[in-house]
């Protein structure tokens, strides 16, 4: 089946020579181009401060970006030139309104050109009702730090770049605020120019293949849904572990920490997908309505609960993959007496009918032994009769959804070992997607950029989700600030966080699954 191409549109990337554009956006656009998912007359204008000619931009920024970060770099010889012809470079200071006036002229020219090419038979037309042929549809990607969002969108409006002739969309990256008040202020600035439906807040975890698969696994199989509740599920574990430290992001990370950097967004989004009720339809608004209900049902953590159920850690020196690595406090642009957490583990509850009483254990951290993201549902054990009585200590049933680096899903069951001794062993029904389908699943940004062009907001975070997530997280940071400063570092690089992270489960008679399984 031929790929479905979105409406014609232009994409303007602010921060067009920056890290995000080079590591993620250009490679994603390139792969969408190769796969035929870009609109026929699609053009990109990269906006940056660097003094580069168009030729220089294509040679110094674009080509190295694709060579280093594209999942398909081998075919550059054939594809680079036609792809690069769609990318333009515009140098300006994003605080200078005159730059926006010139940008408006460039966009108008590109749209006019596309419009005249658009009289050809193969060109998509806008879906806009009643507006005639080619529309000036525009996407503005703010690949810049959040403090620039407000000024950029204000300039877009004041210089007439929005409203566009057709539709307009703005894409923004995390961090979306530092707490609820700062997030609300950021949102106010964006909403002064764009409607909520036009704002696409990226959470790149939602673009990952297996995360998109969670809803399919849950709602397209008969046998999971009936047991997906507190009658059968003993507890849920979600781990996103990284072996890397903070690399060159020390100055951002030291002001954020693992709770804001990973839990407020990625981990809570995973919780919503695991815990949401079946939506009435697959419409983006309907799915997001169900997700936000989960966030609103999270049991708030008061200071005592934070003390008991939220563990924070910071790595000291240690070994990762056989190499000695320095402590967090010696990373670049990190305060030498930093109290920022690089690890957090927490036990939370969702107070609704489906999940009442089922703990969700979450953990994330840097400099852990493995790069792994997994969701584990451990089912309740059967009553102590028959095999559970005779053999004791049988393994529970678990469902593991592997997000990365392995993508797949397995179910652990108990079965008889062949032979005369009636030995019962755990076995796995295992589907490894990237072993079978190939390791080359599309990068999250490919899907996300494609969805922005199509106007499908399902995999983006709506404001009420962001708001509810901050409402849950803010009391944790408030409780931490009121507590005695932690004794950091409290885990060596290469360990699974501080010992208290293990105790969080052992005191409930449980354990984290990766270790020793
Ligand atoms: C980002 C965080 O959102 O996610 C980073 O800011 C983290 O600190 C990254 O390293 C992890 O993403 P992934 O896709 O590598 O798991």
């Amino acid at each position: 089946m031929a790929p479905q191409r979105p409406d014609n549109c232009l994409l303007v990337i602010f921060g067009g020579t920056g890290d995000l554009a080079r590591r993620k956006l250009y490679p994603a656009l390139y792969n969408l181009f190769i796969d035929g998912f870009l609109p026929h007359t699609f053009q990109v204008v990269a906006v940056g401060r660097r003094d580069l000619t168009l030729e220089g931009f294509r040679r110094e920024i674009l080509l190295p970006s694709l060579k280093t970060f594209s999942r398909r770099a081998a075919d550059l010889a054939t594809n680079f030139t036609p792809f690069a012809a769609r990318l333009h470079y515009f140098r300006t200071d994003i605080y200078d309104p005159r730059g926006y006036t010139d940008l408006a002229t460039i966009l108008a020219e590109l749209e006019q050109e596309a419009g005249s090419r658009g009289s050809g038979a193969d060109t998509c037309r806008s879906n806009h009702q009643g507006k005639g042929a080619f529309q000036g549809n525009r996407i503005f990607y703010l690949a810049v730090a959040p403090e620039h969002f407000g000024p950029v969108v204000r300039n877009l409006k004041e210089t007439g770049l929005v409203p566009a002739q057709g539709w307009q969309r703005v894409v923004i990256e995390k961090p979306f605020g530092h707490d609820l008040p700062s997030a609300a202020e950021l949102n106010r600035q964006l909403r002064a120019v764009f409607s909520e439906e036009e704002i696409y807040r990226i959470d790149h975890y939602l673009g990952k293949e297996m995360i998109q698969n969670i809803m399919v696994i849950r709602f397209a199989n008969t046998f999971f849904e009936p047991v997906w509740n507190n009658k059968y599920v003993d507890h849920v574990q979600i781990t996103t572990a990284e072996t890397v430290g903070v690399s060159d992001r020390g100055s951002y990370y030291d002001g954020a920490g693992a709770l804001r950097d990973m839990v407020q967004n990625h981990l809570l989004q995973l919780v919503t997908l695991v815990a949401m009720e079946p939506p009435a339809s697959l419409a983006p608004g309907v799915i997001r309505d169900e997700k936000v209900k989960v966030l609103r049902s999270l049991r708030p953590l008061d200071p005592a609960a934070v003390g008991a159920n939220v563990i924070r850690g910071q790595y000291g020196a240690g070994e990762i993959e056989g190499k000695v690595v320095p402590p967090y406090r010696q990373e670049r642009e990190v305060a030498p007496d930093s109290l920022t957490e690089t690890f957090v583990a927490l036990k939370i509850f969702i107070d609704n009918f489906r999940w009442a009483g089922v703990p969700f254990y979450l953990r994330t951290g840097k400099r852990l032994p493995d790069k792994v993201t997994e969701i584990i549902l451990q089912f309740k054990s059967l009553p102590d009769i028959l095999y559970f009585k005779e053999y004791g200590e049988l393994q529970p049933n678990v469902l593991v959804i592997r997000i990365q680096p392995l993508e797949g899903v397995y179910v652990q069951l108990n079965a008889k070992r062949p032979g005369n001794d009636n030995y019962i062993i755990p076995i796995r029904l295992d589907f490894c997607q990237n072993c079978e389908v190939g390791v080359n699943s599309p990068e999250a940004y490919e899907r996300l950029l494609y969805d922005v062009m199509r106007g499908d907001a399902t995999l983006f975070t709506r404001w009420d989700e962001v708001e509810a997530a901050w409402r849950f997280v803010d009391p944790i940071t408030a409780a931490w600030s009121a507590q005695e400063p932690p004794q950091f570092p409290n885990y060596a690089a290469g360990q699974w966080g501080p010992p208290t992270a293990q105790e969080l489960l052992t005191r409930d008679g449980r354990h984290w699954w990766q270790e020793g399984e």
Side-chain angles (χ1 to χ4, degrees):
M1 206 167 68
Q4 193 200 346
R5 291 185 193 257
D7 292 353
N8 277 327
C9 55
L10 291 183
L11 169 65
V12 181
I13 301 178
F14 290 93
T17 56
D19 215 44
L20 176 72
R22 287 183 296 114
R23 282 173 183 271
K24 300 290 182 190
L25 305 185
Y26 300 136
L29 290 169
Y30 177 67
N31 284 296
L32 288 171
F33 171 75
I34 295 178
D35 290 335
F37 283 115
L38 293 183
H40 286 279
T41 63
F42 183 70
Q43 306 278 317
V44 180
V45 179
V47 177
R49 252 193 323 191
R50 281 180 57 179
D51 191 5
L52 289 168
T53 59
L54 176 56
E55 196 35 50
F57 168 75
R58 289 178 180 163
R59 196 184 52 243
E60 288 173 35
I61 304 287
L62 193 57
L63 187 58
S65 140
L66 304 184
K67 274 192 178 153
T68 319
F69 300 113
S70 166
R71 67 189 166 95
R72 283 185 295 206
D75 38 16
L76 272 168
T78 0
N79 291 319
F80 181 71
T81 306
F83 174 67
R86 290 165 176 261
L87 275 89
H88 311 270
Y89 182 65
F90 177 65
R91 180 187 171 216
T92 189
D93 176 342
I94 53 176
Y95 280 83
D96 179 6
R98 279 170 311 180
Y100 290 78
T101 315
D102 294 343
L103 182 61
T105 312
I106 295 173
L107 296 195
E109 281 169 11
L110 288 172
E111 282 166 353
Q112 208 175 6
E113 243 176 69
S116 50
R117 268 185 289 148
S119 52
D122 67 340
T123 302
C124 303
R125 304 286 170 172
S126 166
N127 287 338
H128 262 296
Q129 296 298 312
K131 280 207 174 180
F134 179 80
Q135 305 292 327
N137 301 323
R138 295 173 177 178
I139 300 170
F140 300 95
Y141 201 120
L142 309 191
V144 292
E147 62 266 28
H148 305 309
F149 293 173
V152 171
V153 297
R154 202 172 45 245
N155 276 324
L156 289 177
K157 186 169 181 192
E158 284 173 3
T159 49
L161 277 147
V162 296
Q165 255 189 303
W167 50 250
Q168 69 222 354
R169 294 175 189 143
V170 66
V171 188
I172 52 172
E173 287 280 336
K174 64 181 274 269
F176 200 81
H178 191 251
D179 52 16
L180 182 55
S182 57
E185 171 54 23
L186 209 52
N187 201 48
R188 192 193 58 73
Q189 294 173 4
L190 290 166
R191 288 298 312 278
V193 180
F194 293 94
S195 69
E196 174 61 32
E197 291 66 38
E198 292 168 338
I199 301 173
Y200 287 70
R201 297 179 194 82
I202 294 240
D203 182 316
H204 78 281
Y205 265 60
L206 298 181
K208 292 181 191 279
E209 268 297 323
M210 278 309 293
I211 288 179
Q212 294 167 47
N213 221 341
I214 296 174
M215 277 180 57
V216 179
I217 289 168
R218 285 193 57 192
F219 302 132
N221 291 298
T222 316
F223 46 80
F224 288 132
E225 195 46 29
V227 294
W228 207 271
N229 54 47
N230 58 3
K231 276 203 197 92
Y232 296 99
V233 175
D234 176 75
H235 73 277
V236 178
Q237 297 181 15
I238 303 182
T239 296
T240 55
E242 296 183 90
T243 51
V244 292
V246 289
S247 319
D248 49 3
R249 295 167 73 231
S251 89
Y252 150 73
Y253 193 88
D254 209 34
L259 184 72
R260 292 187 177 98
D261 185 50
M262 294 293 290
V263 176
Q264 188 272 343
N265 37 76
H266 309 319
L267 270 93
L268 289 183
Q269 282 293 320
L270 295 189
V271 170
T272 64
L273 291 168
V274 172
M276 68 192 272
E277 292 300 315
S281 79
L282 293 177
V286 178
I287 292 174
R288 298 199 290 180
D289 285 347
E290 293 306 334
K291 286 170 64 195
V292 79
K293 280 188 209 159
V294 174
L295 295 170
R296 290 187 183 139
S297 309
L298 291 173
R299 185 185 301 168
L301 293 166
D302 62 21
V306 171
N309 293 335
V310 186
I311 308 297
R312 54 182 158 156
Q314 186 195 80
Y315 62 83
E319 255 190 41
I320 295 278
E321 288 151 4
K323 280 202 197 114
V324 175
V325 296
Y328 175 70
R329 287 176 173 177
Q330 280 174 27
E331 300 276 15
R332 215 149 25 103
E333 297 184 21
V334 166
D337 54 354
S338 171
L339 292 175
T340 299
E341 79 286 356
T342 58
F343 175 94
V344 58
L346 57 168
K347 173 163 108 172
I348 62 176
F349 288 93
I350 299 167
D351 284 339
N352 63 17
F353 268 42
R354 183 186 288 264
W355 295 111
V358 177
F360 281 60
Y361 299 97
L362 319 180
R363 69 175 165 172
T364 183
K366 302 240 180 238
R367 292 289 192 216
L368 301 184
D370 279 331
K371 166 85 180 164
V372 63
T373 301
E374 276 183 355
I375 299 171
I376 291 158
L377 274 82
Q378 179 172 323
F379 292 89
K380 290 186 174 169
S381 292
L382 290 169
D384 267 349
I385 48 175
L386 298 180
Y387 293 107
F388 276 80
K389 179 176 166 210
E390 297 289 324
Y391 296 91
E393 291 300 299
L394 293 188
Q395 293 284 326
N397 290 151
V398 288
L399 168 71
V400 179
I401 303 175
R402 290 167 154 167
I403 312 291
Q404 61 182 20
L406 286 180
E407 295 173 357
V409 55
Y410 73 80
V411 181
Q412 179 175 286
L413 309 173
N414 288 313
K416 181 183 167 303
R417 189 172 72 179
N420 294 331
D421 54 5
N422 277 342
Y423 215 81
I424 294 184
I425 51 166
I427 54 154
R428 285 180 181 180
L429 306 182
D430 195 345
F431 168 62
C432 173
Q433 178 158 286
N434 51 357
C435 311
E436 289 197 14
V437 186
V439 282
N440 224 352
S441 5
E443 288 273 340
Y445 275 86
E446 292 175 38
R447 173 61 192 254
L448 296 173
L449 280 167
Y450 181 59
D451 281 0
V452 176
M453 291 179 216
R454 296 193 303 163
D456 183 339
T458 313
L459 302 178
F460 297 82
T461 324
R462 204 167 60 183
W463 166 246
D464 51 1
E465 294 177 76
V466 177
E467 187 183 26
W470 279 123
R471 269 190 212 290
F472 177 72
V473 161
D474 280 354
I476 303 176
T477 44
W480 281 350
S481 345
Q483 280 172 7
E484 283 278 292
Q487 296 292 314
F488 282 164
N490 59 356
Y491 70 99
Q495 291 178 346
W496 283 102
T500 40
Q502 317 305 319
E503 287 157 24
L504 185 67
L505 273 75
T506 48
R507 71 173 193 229
D508 293 345
R510 301 180 172 113
H511 65 279
W512 293 103
W513 266 91
Q514 275 89 353
E515 296 136 81
E517 294 315 315

